Each structure stands twice: as C-alpha cells, then as structure tokens.
Amino acid sequence: MAPTANCIFTRPSADKAMLRQQFIDRLAALYGKTLDEASELDIYNVIASMVREEINRRWAVTNRYYKERKVKQVYYFSMEFLIGRLLTANMLNLGIYGLYKEALAELGVDIDRIEQQEQDAGLGNGGLGRLAACFLDSLACMNYAGHGCGIRYKYGLFEQKIIDGHQFELPDNWLKEGYPWEVRKADKAVTVRFGGQVRLEESGGRLVAVHENYEAVKAVPYDIPVVGCNNKTVNTLRLWSAETDKPDFDFSTFSRGNYLKAMEYKYAVEAISQILYPDDTYQEGRLLRLKQQYFLVSAGLQSIVRRYKKLGENLHFLPDYVAIHINDTHPALVVPELMRILMDEEGLGWDEAWRITTGCVFYTNHTVMPEALEKWPTDMLRSLLPRIYMIIEEINERFCRELWRSYPGDWERIRRMAVIADNMVHMANLAVVGSASVNGVAKIHTEILKKDVFKLFYEYCPHKFNNKTNGVTHRRWLAKANPLLARLLDETIGPAWLNHPEDLVFLHPYASDPAFQARFAKVKQFNKERLAAYIQDRLGLAIDPCSIFDIQVKRIHAYKRQLLNILHILHLYDRLTAQPDLDIVPRTFIFAGKAAPGYYFAKRIIKLINDVAALVNSDKRICDKLKVVFLENYNVSLAELIIPAADLSEQISTASREASGTGNMKFMMNGAITIGTLDGANIEIKEAVGDDNIIIFGLTAGEVLNYYKNGGYNAWQEYHGDKRVKAVLDRLLTWEDSRLIYDTVLNNNDEFFVLKDFSTYIEAQERAAKYYQDSGKWWNMAIHNVAYAGYFSSDRTIAEYAIGLWRLNRAVIVDSGGQ
Ligand SMILES: *Cc1c(COP(=O)(O)O)cnc(C)c1O
C-alpha cells in the first residue's frame, strides 16, 4: 500500500541505507540468518524490535516527565482491550512508516505482508473492548496522561471457524510465538488476597481488620507502550497476569500427593488470567469471572496507590492527581477496594476514604439490556472477598440511611436503589453510588438511563449524570485501514486532519465536485477489489466489485437483527426467482461476526446466513445479481479490511437496544452510507450528515419502549397480515436448523420487532438502490459522510472526558535528550 503524505517522513536516502543495514545486522544477531534464510516471522520480530527501540526512549522520557511534574493521571479500568495489531499502527504514530516501508521494499520485503505475522491481540469481545483501545490511542495522541489497566488473558476471544455453515470455537493462543510489544515487570508485582476470614480488632483506639487464612495470588504486570501520534507521549497499557509465588513444585517434599497438590494449586491460580469470557451481553454469575474482576481491580489500585505515594503527596489529595474510570460495571469493585486500601492499609477513617474514593471514580454505563446488568449473590461475594463484602454492606447501610432521610417510608424506592437487595449485590447501583459521575455513550442512551434504567438515581442526584458520545480513532480506522483515502485527503485538505479530525469538514465543498467524486470513487473501487480478492482467496467465490457492497459486521445478537437483513435477502431472492429479468442493482451482502458459544439463537443465525448463501450463490437463474458472503473470525484486522470496502453500512438494531455502536462510525468515516434505525449514535450521525445523507427506517426508541411497557405486539398478526412476511418466514422452515429461529420469532412474540420493521426496511433498501444508481448523488452522500466524521473521532470523546470529568491538562513533553 502506498504511504500517505502523513507518514512520509522525508529523510535522506542515507537514512534508508542505514535502516537497511541495521535490519540486516539485527537479523544476523538475533537469528543468525541472512534475509534469504529468514522466515516472515523472523523478519516481523526484527522489525518489531527496531520499532520498540524507537518507542522505548520516548517511553522513559514520558514516565520521567509525568513523575517530575506530578501530572494528573487517568487510569482506564477495563476487563477488555481489543487492540488489534500494533506494528503498523505504532509506525504510523511514530511517523516512520513511510521510511520503513521504502527501506524494506528495497530489500524486497513488503512490510504490509509482514504485518500479518502479528497475531491480533483479541482481548475483548467487541465494541466495549475496542472502545477502550480507541480511547488509549486518543489519550496518547492528545498528550493526556492516560493509561489502560486490564488482564493479560492467556487466551483471547476464541477463533471462529465455519464448518458446513456452523460456528466452531478454537482457542486463541495469541502468545504462542511471543509478543514483542509487552514488557514483563516482575519487580512491580503485587499480591491479591482471596477467601479466608476477617476479624475486626481494637487497636490503638480504632478498629482494624485482620484478614487470615486467605489465598495469596501474585499479580505480575506486563506493560505495553501506547504511542502518541507525532508527539513525544508514550503511555502504558498495563495488563496483569496471575501467578503463584511458590515454585512449580517443591523438591524437598516431592511425593505424589504434594506434587499433584502443588500443580493443582498452580493451575487454579493461573486460571484467573487464563481466558476472556466470550460474552459481554449476558452475565453468567460465574465465580471465576468475579475472581478476575477483583484481581484486576485490586492489582490495578495497589499499583496506582504505590506510585502516588512515591510522589510524596498526601492521600487526601488523591483526586487532584488521579482519576479512575470504569468501563461498565465489570471493575465496579474499585469502589470497595479503594476504600479498603485507604482504611485498612493507609489508616484513614471512613468519611475521608469515602470522600477520596467518590472523588476519583467515574463510571460509564454501556448497556440497557437487563440480562447484561451485573448482580452477584451475596454468599459468593462474602466467601470470596470477605473484607470487600463488609465494606459493601457498610456502603449500602449508609446509603440507605441517607435515602431514608430523603424518602422516609418509601421502602420500594429504597429497595430499588440499594446496593444489596434480595441477596444480590447490584453492581450498577454500587457504581452509581460510589462514583463522581455516571455517563451514557450516546445522547439517546443517556436519556434512556435517566428516564428508565437509573430513573430513581437521576431524581436523587441529577448532577451525576452526563453524556459522552463514543468515538473511534480515525488513525486506525481511516489512516491505517484506508491508506488511499488518507492520501486523497492529504492531497485535498492537507495533512492536519490526522491530529485534528474536525478538519475533515474542509472536504464539504468537494462533495459535489465531479472530479473529486471520481477520485473518491476510484479509492472505493480499489478497496472493494481488495476485499473481493480476499473473498476469492478464502471462499473461492467470485464477487462483482461493481455490485453494491452491503455490509453487516458485528457480534451476532438478536437485538442487532442480522435476521432482518437475511429476511430482506430472501425477499429479494423470491422476487428475482419469480421474475429473473427484474432490473435490480446487483448486490453483495457481506456478514461477519462471532456468536457467544452458549448463545444458541445467534449460532442458528450464522447457520442461516450460510444456508441462504449456499442457496443464493448457486442459483443460475438470478444471474449473479445477488451474492451472500459470511467471512469467518471477525476481528480488528478483518474489520480494517472490510469496512473501507463498504457502500452500505447496516446499523439496524431494535431502537433503544444499541447503546451507541461504534461500527457505525468506522463505516461513515470510510464513506459508506448508513442504512439504520434511530438508535444509539445513528441518531447523531444523522444530525451530523443531514437527513439526505443517511437512510433511516423503523420504529423509534419511544415506540419500542412503549410496546415493552404494554407487553409487546402480536407477531402472528404481522405474519398473517403481510404476504411478504409470511413468505420469507415460511422459507426458514426449509432448513432444519432454522426452525428455532422461526419458533423464537413467532412464539416469543418477536421481542426485537423484526417483523414489525420489515416493510419499512424493504422500502429503505429500495431507496438505497435508487440512490446508488444515481452516482453523482451517491458520491455526494458518501463524501458528506467522511466530511462530518470528525465528530465521531475518539479524540473528541476523550477531550470531553478529560475536560468535563477527569480535569486533565494536556502535557507538553519536552525531551531534553540525554540520560
Ligand atoms: C468496532 C468493532 C466492534 C463493534 O461493532 P458494532 O457495530 O458497534 O457492534 C466489534 N468488533 C470489532 C472487531 C470491532 O472492530
């Protein structure tokens, strides 16, 4: 791929020659090989080690700067960081991609091919984990001292294989070949305690908690640098790994029994950071998951407090120097754990500890789906984390007493707001009570939080609630994923957009310029051909790069309604087979996404997509006017390949269910037109691009929520009332595996309103086809989408968090050189 103006670091050719020599020397030093003998993995490792060196010096300078100036730090706690590959992203941000690409090309090494040797770090399920990764990029690029705190899962999200149309899950052993971006920091390890008993003892006139018979787990941090773009900042993503302190086994007591016990113990401890739970939409209530959450929280907070104390500042001022952000409720135990550290380890009283804690912690809610809201049985929490449970009880008691003063006698309200109720700890309530701020991730989502999910809390403390509409880093999702568009932008509006995404608006005047449209269309065509080649290679299927690329890629879930999309395909197919000379615009429907392994409905959807693909792709009568593709193993790298090739972006969730969505933003940024419901950030995309540059259909969130309140609607009535609905649903019965879908939709009363939105969706799709045929109009729409994508950069989101919540200043790191 050609480099963009942004990444051509015009250095003299002497630099390139030096780099070439350095590469050859290092290959010899590390592997004892010449270029001819080296594998692509060897080459990858050598290049990564060279890039790491460029990073390391800056990393040390940044850390020293933060420490000397006592810069306020934000720590973003998240159970997931879906960072994807780092080699090219790091080189682009360092401004050395062009140099490396050219220098290596002279040796016959294609750096874009070599990049594929890197395993995606897939330590996340989807949107929530990817958001965390986008935020880290924006923090570093905007000179904010912001770091990630997460778990180094040995196995990330499973690798998906499709066999005979079914999903199979394989372990994702991403560390198999080693990971060149991490640094193990054994000297920074901390101990996390589980189980045991806690006694309160009087000592020196105060009660102290004595914790005994606990199990001590060693938490070892692995640090990954987060490189800023064209600045000097390198922040840190710190991932914790669980280890035993004891040696693998003790030779002196070597006997069969001891050996097995030692190994079992080691295995049980390491299980904590062994695997990422593969579902973020359903809470299972498993003990191991709770262990993971506390492990992250305790290790992360201990290291933050330790670092803070080295600054020599009093703990009373912690909120002036540290902000702790929790990505959903998964790390909500930061509230009682910080209380524990401040009281039990640092000797502060309750009131002071509470003031500090509630000054430091900030909470983002990510979902209104009831089955995703976290609750833990009190028994489980009490036995796994006895001291933490005591503190939660105290938080609950004090909070309920406070509520009683405002709502005397209103038991029902107090029960619903309580942290502990019905023998469950309600993590969302804990997070709201214990934090300085609660935010939703799109305007409509925040409104639903205020009016529905957290209604009582909103009435009680309205000032805590605010909105921060999500964003995505345009550096990965535009500059890296779509280098030809990036170059076209550089040539048209100059290169400043890379650090100032709002500058994309300067593209507006070009939207209707035929010459620019032609260049824009050429880029899209190239990206479509790039994807078509991948599909040909993987599936042996030829697709027409001139057809509309109609794409839905995201987790497979009932509320995201891949089913609605398939029913539309079946409807088109029925029309075409009935009337083969029907003049429709050829379309290629592309799907990708993983289903949670235990989510049967979603797995049947995958099978249905593949069954429909087999039917449609082999039918000669329809003359290749329709093609259906399911690409396996959707992850960040595949997203980078697919999204720039999209004409139509399918964002068709049931209104009110998708908190924000971020896939929608990646697509618009790459000049795809959204066909979507008035849900999540789609609404703000519509506001940004204007009604003429987006295709909207379906029920509104208000209508959906009204139906939910009144027990839904009659799905059978919809089925019998619209011949087209009946025809496509009946077709599902031709596949044995799709019976479950048919039954679920009709007998569970179509919980996600697929049938209710079917006819308006078909109309919307007809509009899309009509616009596509008018290429002047289409490219005008597409270019408008890019021009107004700046708002959806995570740079804007992070600026809002930093100014509105965390109160951070942008550091200006001056590298004095030396040392
Ligand atoms: C952006 C992204 C998502 C989130 O997509 P939505 O359409 O917002 O659900 C999920 N997975 C990957 C790999 C992504 O890059």
Side-chain angles (χ1 to χ4, degrees):
M1 208 68 47
T4 78
N6 269 311
C7 45
I8 297 174
F9 219 64
T10 25
R11 294 198 202 177
S13 55
D15 271 7
K16 269 191 261 171
M18 230 158 70
L19 202 67
R20 280 203 311 273
Q21 195 54 48
Q22 207 187 338
F23 170 78
I24 294 294
D25 291 347
R26 193 165 295 208
L27 191 58
L30 286 178
Y31 296 99
K33 288 181 182 175
T34 63
L35 186 53
D36 295 338
E37 296 161 339
S39 69
E40 289 192 338
L41 183 62
D42 298 335
I43 295 173
Y44 166 77
N45 279 320
V46 169
I47 300 170
S49 82
M50 290 166 69
V51 174
R52 267 290 306 280
E53 252 164 53
E54 305 247 2
I55 294 170
N56 279 350
R57 208 179 57 82
R58 299 176 193 221
W59 207 0
V61 171
T62 300
N63 284 331
R64 196 179 329 131
Y65 181 90
Y66 289 164
K67 193 168 159 193
E68 281 168 4
R69 308 279 178 118
K70 300 187 179 179
V71 177
K72 185 170 184 181
Q73 314 278 303
V74 61
Y75 298 95
Y76 196 81
F77 277 66
S78 178
M79 288 289 281
E80 307 191 4
F81 285 92
L82 190 51
I83 58 180
R85 291 182 179 135
L86 292 183
L87 180 63
T88 304
N90 282 342
M91 290 194 296
L92 280 169
N93 279 2
L94 289 166
I96 57 174
Y97 173 77
L99 173 72
Y100 270 64
K101 184 175 174 67
E102 287 171 25
L104 290 163
E106 286 165 14
L107 292 168
V109 172
D110 176 358
I111 199 159
D112 299 320
R113 193 186 149 90
I114 294 299
E115 187 204 21
Q116 295 173 25
Q117 288 298 315
E118 181 170 334
Q119 294 279 325
D120 264 54
L123 308 185
N125 274 284
L128 175 141
R130 183 55 229 175
L131 183 78
C134 284
F135 280 5
L136 292 184
D137 182 71
S138 288
L139 282 163
C141 294
M142 298 172 81
N143 292 303
Y144 286 120
H147 314 280
C149 187
I151 294 178
R152 181 180 179 266
Y153 302 106
K154 187 164 171 200
Y155 295 93
L157 187 62
F158 64 86
E159 182 187 341
Q160 179 193 53
K161 283 262 176 244
I162 302 296
I163 300 171
D164 294 333
H166 291 281
Q167 166 175 300
F168 285 79
E169 299 100 24
L170 303 180
D172 165 51
N173 191 1
W174 69 291
L175 291 166
K176 188 174 54 202
E177 307 286 356
Y179 189 61
W181 307 110
E182 67 180 8
V183 191
R184 181 183 160 91
K185 297 271 173 72
D187 58 318
K188 300 257 166 76
V190 298
T191 302
V192 179
R193 294 179 297 182
F194 292 99
Q197 294 86 38
V198 176
R199 279 185 293 113
L200 291 181
E201 263 181 13
E202 169 106 42
S203 160
R206 52 186 298 272
L207 281 179
V208 289
V210 182
H211 194 178
E212 293 167 326
N213 302 321
Y214 53 80
E215 181 190 337
V217 171
K218 190 158 98 172
V220 181
Y222 285 72
D223 288 354
I224 297 173
V226 182
V227 180
C229 182
N230 301 327
N231 63 15
K232 299 246 162 63
T233 300
V234 177
N235 290 330
T236 301
L237 168 56
R238 174 160 283 185
L239 301 179
W240 295 93
S241 178
E243 297 183 5
T244 47
D245 236 341
K246 303 173 182 162
D248 282 359
F249 55 85
D250 181 350
F251 281 101
S252 62
T253 58
F254 188 86
S255 74
R256 206 183 127 107
N258 280 341
Y259 174 73
L260 288 178
K261 259 218 181 90
M263 291 309 282
E264 275 168 17
Y265 176 71
K266 177 177 151 67
Y267 191 78
V269 167
E270 288 171 359
I272 295 172
S273 56
Q274 198 74 2
I275 181 147
L276 165 73
Y277 276 87
D279 195 353
D280 61 356
T281 55
Y282 180 75
Q283 200 230 345
E284 256 191 357
R286 297 275 276 266
L287 180 68
L288 182 59
R289 171 76 173 183
L290 183 60
K291 274 191 169 177
Q292 291 185 331
Q293 294 183 348
Y294 183 67
F295 176 76
L296 162 67
V297 157
S298 181
L301 286 177
Q302 288 185 56
S303 96
I304 290 168
V305 171
R306 185 176 53 194
R307 176 191 186 275
Y308 176 74
K309 285 168 72 182
K310 280 197 206 141
L311 297 180
E313 292 292 332
N314 192 298
L315 279 164
H316 300 299
F317 305 116
L318 192 69
D320 297 333
Y321 293 90
V322 168
I324 292 162
H325 203 97
I326 58 174
N327 199 19
D328 215 318
T329 57
H330 316 143
L333 292 175
V334 293
V335 174
E337 175 66 2
L338 186 52
M339 289 295 288
R340 183 192 70 76
I341 293 173
L342 294 175
M343 294 189 303
D344 296 359
E345 294 182 11
E346 305 297 337
L348 300 187
W350 180 279
D351 290 335
E352 183 61 356
W354 186 247
R355 184 192 62 78
I356 295 169
T357 300
T358 54
C360 286
V361 177
F362 301 84
Y363 158 54
T364 297
N365 171 281
H366 281 272
T367 178
V368 298
M369 302 282 284
E371 63 269 34
L373 293 178
E374 289 195 296
K375 300 182 193 79
W376 294 103
T378 47
D379 290 347
M380 192 190 266
L381 243 158
R382 190 190 293 117
S383 64
L384 184 69
L385 308 167
R387 179 59 182 147
I388 292 303
Y389 186 71
M390 287 168 78
I391 294 170
I392 295 174
E393 272 189 319
E394 183 70 25
I395 292 171
N396 183 51
E397 263 165 45
R398 286 172 185 248
F399 181 58
C400 288
R401 245 180 278 148
E402 187 185 307
L403 288 176
W404 183 263
R405 284 195 288 277
S406 300
Y407 309 107
D410 195 346
W411 284 111
E412 178 54 19
R413 179 184 292 259
I414 295 171
R415 194 185 63 79
R416 283 167 59 193
M417 295 174 77
V419 176
I420 302 175
D422 306 321
N423 297 314
M424 289 283 191
V425 176
H426 293 251
M427 302 302 272
N429 294 7
L430 175 63
V432 176
V433 173
S435 53
S437 151
V438 180
N439 75 280
V441 289
K443 278 186 200 162
I444 187 178
H445 170 59
T446 300
E447 288 309 306
I448 292 172
L449 291 182
K450 295 198 290 198
K451 288 191 189 116
D452 201 40
V453 184
F454 293 137
K455 180 168 183 281
L456 301 184
F457 285 101
Y458 180 60
E459 286 168 9
Y460 185 62
C461 45
H463 59 275
K464 259 197 195 182
F465 289 82
N466 63 92
N467 176 249
K468 299 282 172 283
T469 298
N470 282 167
V472 299
T473 170
H474 59 290
R475 283 168 290 271
R476 179 173 292 262
W477 296 109
L478 206 170
K480 174 175 188 294
N482 198 342
L484 290 191
L485 182 55
R487 183 158 69 177
L488 179 58
L489 292 173
D490 286 349
E491 289 168 7
T492 310
I493 60 171
W497 61 274
L498 197 67
N499 283 88
H500 301 277
E502 64 280 7
D503 282 7
L504 288 171
V505 75
F506 295 133
L507 208 57
H508 181 120
Y510 296 90
S512 54
D513 169 3
F516 183 78
Q517 285 186 356
R519 297 180 73 192
F520 189 92
K522 223 169 127 185
V523 169
K524 183 62 81 181
Q525 197 58 24
F526 175 91
N527 293 330
K528 288 169 78 172
E529 281 163 17
R530 182 174 74 160
L531 179 58
Y534 180 85
I535 291 169
Q536 175 68 256
D537 178 55
R538 292 304 163 108
L539 297 174
L541 181 71
I543 60 169
D544 173 9
C546 295
S547 61
I548 300 178
F549 278 23
D550 180 336
I551 303 188
Q552 186 171 20
V553 288
K554 50 182 75 242
R555 285 301 285 255
I556 311 293
H557 203 289
Y559 87 81
K560 293 180 182 277
R561 300 201 296 190
Q562 280 89 0
L563 179 58
L564 181 58
N565 190 340
I566 307 165
L567 294 183
H568 167 246
I569 298 171
L570 286 173
H571 171 71
L572 275 183
Y573 178 71
D574 278 347
R575 285 180 58 199
L576 267 175
T577 47
Q579 198 187 332
D581 57 350
L582 190 70
D583 185 25
I584 70 157
V585 194
R587 280 210 203 208
T588 303
F589 296 91
I590 297 166
F591 293 87
K594 294 173 185 176
Y599 187 3
Y600 298 104
F601 180 84
K603 290 180 128 176
R604 297 298 172 92
I605 293 286
I606 291 176
K607 180 63 165 49
L608 174 61
I609 297 170
N610 284 297
D611 284 336
V612 171
L615 172 75
V616 169
N617 296 348
S618 64
D619 193 328
K620 295 280 178 296
R621 290 172 299 174
I622 64 170
C623 304
D624 296 329
K625 284 180 193 161
L626 300 182
K627 284 277 185 286
V628 180
V629 176
F630 188 98
L631 287 171
E632 67 184 7
N633 203 37
Y634 186 55
N635 61 15
V636 170
S637 292
L638 188 55
E640 289 172 25
L641 176 69
I642 293 174
I643 291 170
D647 294 309
L648 263 185
S649 160
E650 296 275 353
Q651 309 299 338
I652 59 178
S653 54
T654 308
S656 81
R657 301 292 90 184
E658 186 78 273
S660 161
T662 48
N664 45 5
M665 303 168 185
K666 301 168 195 166
F667 278 97
M668 81 175 293
M669 204 169 261
N670 283 279
I673 312 301
T674 304
I675 178 166
T677 47
L678 287 173
D679 199 16
N682 297 352
I683 296 174
E684 288 157 79
I685 292 177
K686 172 173 168 285
E687 285 168 8
V689 301
D691 295 359
D692 293 343
N693 297 308
I694 188 166
I695 302 166
I696 296 292
F697 72 96
L699 296 173
T700 62
E703 289 166 336
V704 168
L705 292 173
N706 237 337
Y707 275 118
Y708 283 144
K709 259 189 225 135
N710 300 304
Y713 77 105
N714 192 323
W716 283 106
Q717 204 173 320
E718 208 65 35
Y719 172 88
H720 289 300
D722 186 334
K723 281 198 306 248
R724 301 167 306 176
V725 170
K726 183 170 185 314
V728 290
L729 268 187
D730 286 348
R731 218 179 225 296
L732 297 187
L733 296 174
T734 59
W735 297 285
E736 187 52 40
D737 290 310
S738 299
R739 190 168 279 275
L740 174 83
I741 300 171
Y742 178 93
D743 287 341
T744 305
V745 170
L746 286 171
N747 296 329
N748 281 1
N749 226 5
D750 190 14
E751 189 187 344
F752 295 105
F753 302 89
V754 174
L755 308 188
K756 196 91 190 146
D757 276 344
F758 183 71
S759 67
T760 56
Y761 181 54
I762 290 183
E763 283 158 26
Q765 284 286 18
E766 280 165 6
R767 262 183 284 155
K770 200 180 83 199
Y771 298 156
Y772 191 79
Q773 280 174 306
D774 178 352
S775 70
K777 175 176 176 61
W778 185 267
W779 296 119
N780 192 317
M781 290 174 76
I783 296 162
H784 265 101
N785 271 267
V786 180
Y788 291 92
Y791 183 80
F792 300 98
S793 166
S794 44
D795 286 8
R796 186 269 314 152
T797 314
I798 282 299
E800 289 183 7
Y801 277 101
I803 296 165
L805 301 182
W806 304 327
R807 301 183 187 283
L808 300 187
N809 292 315
R810 294 172 73 150
V812 182
I813 297 175
V814 193
D815 180 3
S816 51
Q819 282 176 306

